[in-house]
Amino acid sequence: MPVTLTCARCGRDFTAPPSQAGRKYCSQPCFRSQQAEDTAWVTRSCGHCHREFRLRGKAAAATRGAYCSHTCRQAATGRRARRCAQCGAEFFPKTPNNPVGTLRGRFCSKTCSGLAQRTRVARSCRQCGAGFEVKVSRVGSGRGQYCGRTCQAIAEGTEERSCLSCGSSFRAVRSVVEKGWGLYCSQACTARRVACTCRVCGAAFTVKESVAAEGGGTYCSDGCRSIGARRRVGKRCPVCEVEFEVPASLGRVRRTCSRTCRATFLGTDPERLAVLARARHDQLSSRAPTRPERILYALLDDLVAEDDRDLSWQAQYRLDRWTVDAAVPALRLVLQADGDYWHGLRPEWREDPRVQRNMASDAYQNRKLSEAGWRVLRFWESDLLRALPACADRLRAALAHGPDEDPVRGPGA
């Protein structure tokens, strides 16, 4: 049935068929005049230098087109030019929020930033007075005051500590302890190691504790790792119950003995079927409805509004492994809008193997949904386009007392 729309050009109300519900203009002259206005050249005044310039109508109507050039836009939006602290070139920072003191606000590129940070300056040790060089980045962060750790320990003082790894006593600088460090006496104790046994040769070896916590420390060398990867473990096929062997590295991945059994297993695996059903539902929900579906949805809106009961219907409703075109959950009613060719309306079309698969899938879906207590109504595309009153009568009867005649295809089957 026709829908009422408002022209975006003249504001006049007009009617259109449900298949043209997305129309914006009532007539071809309104569309042509709006198109000419959108593509016409207009004269604007620059918001910074006030110089007149020309641009297309669509750009003038949008937020763009306020400035005549990129330079004026930068000058008006606060992106002031700066001088690179390394090469002296003039540049504009990417955002005005980058302060002058930051790396992005001081240098024009990553190359200049790297060169500046690799530059070393001469310093004098605060403890012994010896001269040394240090990176500029360390001086800027407050470091680079001493020529070495010995002078730092003498100047700031040390305290007695106990190593968490080997338990030996050592002295740590107080400033280091205040930062939460100074827990280990040496680098070897910092990288604490645990004892492990190789699964292949049985040799004892040590690895870092962090590596062992992540599941490492299985093999002592690459050679043992290669041998271990070739080890085979026995498994039982869940489809044909045949005993077979697989490499130990594939023990968790390989489930079946052959590709044939794998195809059968994937077709009956509940977890995989649920994942595929969810993926199909997401794909169907994200796409735009087809023309027969739009007509069916408009017809549903009208008939549900006429009904005195508080009924609600849902488009792209998910039922077990299927996503149907529409459903009325309160009445356990499923509605499908089928294309004439792909679902086999004419006998000559049913010779296509793809159409035969679709027809077999439709019959299987009808049987399973009927066994689950759902009524299924299928509407041909040609009936929705040319015999809409008959489709409305079928749907009205289904909403009231149940479908007349054949509950699946109706009088047009």
Side-chain angles (χ1 to χ4, degrees):
M1 56 186 61
V3 295
T4 303
L5 305 173
T6 302
C7 180
R9 176 67 181 176
C10 62
R12 186 181 63 181
D13 294 337
F14 65 96
T15 58
S19 60
Q20 302 180 10
R23 281 181 55 179
K24 295 183 179 180
Y25 308 103
C26 61
S27 61
Q28 193 72 10
C30 283
F31 169 73
R32 293 298 182 187
S33 59
Q34 185 65 35
Q35 188 180 34
E37 180 179 334
D38 291 342
T39 57
W41 287 89
V42 296
T43 303
R44 297 289 296 272
S45 178
C46 179
H48 179 68
C49 65
H50 306 292
R51 183 173 63 89
E52 291 186 351
F53 63 99
R54 300 184 66 196
L55 72 163
R56 290 283 185 178
K58 283 189 176 181
T63 57
R64 301 173 296 171
Y67 306 101
C68 63
S69 63
H70 185 62
T71 305
C72 287
R73 181 181 293 107
Q74 288 180 336
T77 54
R79 293 182 61 185
R80 307 300 180 184
R82 296 175 183 173
R83 290 286 178 181
C84 179
Q86 177 65 21
C87 65
E90 190 180 61
F91 73 99
F92 288 91
K94 290 186 177 181
T95 61
N97 297 328
N98 290 333
V100 179
T102 61
L103 292 179
R104 291 187 178 181
R106 293 175 55 196
F107 306 105
C108 62
S109 62
K110 290 184 178 180
T111 302
C112 287
S113 175
L115 291 175
Q117 292 183 77
R118 284 196 294 270
T119 303
R120 305 178 74 88
V121 296
R123 302 282 290 181
S124 179
C125 180
R126 295 179 57 183
Q127 176 63 28
C128 64
F132 64 100
E133 290 186 351
V134 67
K135 291 182 179 179
V136 177
S137 58
R138 294 179 64 87
V139 176
S141 61
R143 296 175 293 177
Q145 304 296 326
Y146 307 97
C147 61
R149 293 184 179 180
T150 303
C151 288
Q152 182 183 7
I154 296 174
E156 298 182 358
T158 60
E159 63 178 58
E160 191 76 18
R161 303 281 291 180
S162 179
C163 181
L164 294 181
S165 179
C166 63
S168 60
S169 299
F170 69 100
R171 302 194 67 85
V173 181
R174 289 194 176 92
S175 60
V176 175
V177 175
E178 291 175 357
K179 295 178 181 179
W181 304 335
L183 302 178
Y184 304 99
C185 62
S186 62
Q187 184 65 28
C189 288
T190 302
R192 289 186 296 176
R193 307 180 73 87
V194 295
C196 300
T197 303
C198 181
R199 290 186 178 180
V200 176
C201 63
F205 65 101
T206 60
V207 296
K208 290 184 179 180
E209 187 177 13
S210 58
V211 175
E214 295 176 357
T218 306
Y219 306 105
C220 64
S221 62
D222 291 340
C224 287
R225 181 179 291 106
S226 300
I227 297 174
R230 291 195 297 268
R231 288 193 306 122
R232 306 183 70 84
V233 295
K235 300 196 70 176
R236 178 183 292 272
C237 180
V239 177
C240 61
E241 300 295 331
V242 173
E243 297 285 347
F244 65 101
E245 291 185 352
V246 296
S249 58
L250 300 179
R252 297 182 180 180
V253 180
R254 182 82 174 270
R255 299 183 182 181
T256 56
C257 62
S258 62
R259 293 184 178 181
T260 304
C261 289
R262 181 176 182 272
T264 305
F265 176 75
L266 293 179
T268 57
D269 186 13
E271 296 182 0
R272 184 175 183 274
L273 292 178
V275 171
L276 293 178
R278 185 163 56 251
R280 284 194 296 266
H281 176 74
D282 295 340
Q283 181 181 10
L284 292 174
S285 301
S286 60
R287 68 168 177 81
T290 61
R291 186 180 182 185
E293 290 173 353
R294 291 198 301 267
I295 299 175
L296 178 61
Y297 296 160
L299 185 61
L300 260 174
D301 283 333
D302 295 339
L303 296 184
V304 169
E306 294 176 0
D307 202 298
D308 297 335
R309 296 168 294 177
D310 186 15
L311 294 178
S312 63
W313 65 276
Q314 297 183 25
Q316 301 301 330
Y317 188 74
R318 184 177 175 183
L319 276 174
D320 192 22
R321 55 183 293 188
W322 297 289
T323 298
V324 297
D325 294 338
V328 185
L331 302 179
R332 298 184 69 82
L333 178 64
V334 170
L335 306 174
Q336 296 278 52
D338 295 336
D340 294 346
Y341 179 83
W342 293 108
H343 291 266
L345 175 60
R346 297 182 182 178
E348 59 270 19
W349 294 341
R350 300 172 187 175
E351 298 178 0
D352 191 335
R354 297 170 297 179
V355 176
Q356 295 175 2
R357 288 195 297 267
N358 290 340
M359 294 180 63
S361 177
D362 292 343
Y364 180 75
Q365 184 186 91
N366 295 337
R367 184 173 70 256
K368 289 298 182 180
L369 293 181
S370 300
E371 293 175 358
W374 288 82
R375 293 179 295 155
V376 183
L377 259 71
R378 293 186 177 270
F379 298 90
W380 291 111
E381 176 184 3
S382 56
D383 292 341
L384 292 172
L385 295 177
R386 303 183 184 88
L388 191 59
C391 295
D393 294 340
R394 285 189 61 213
L395 183 55
R396 187 180 292 107
L399 293 176
H401 306 291
D404 298 330
E405 303 179 5
D406 185 2
V408 175
R409 291 293 184 187

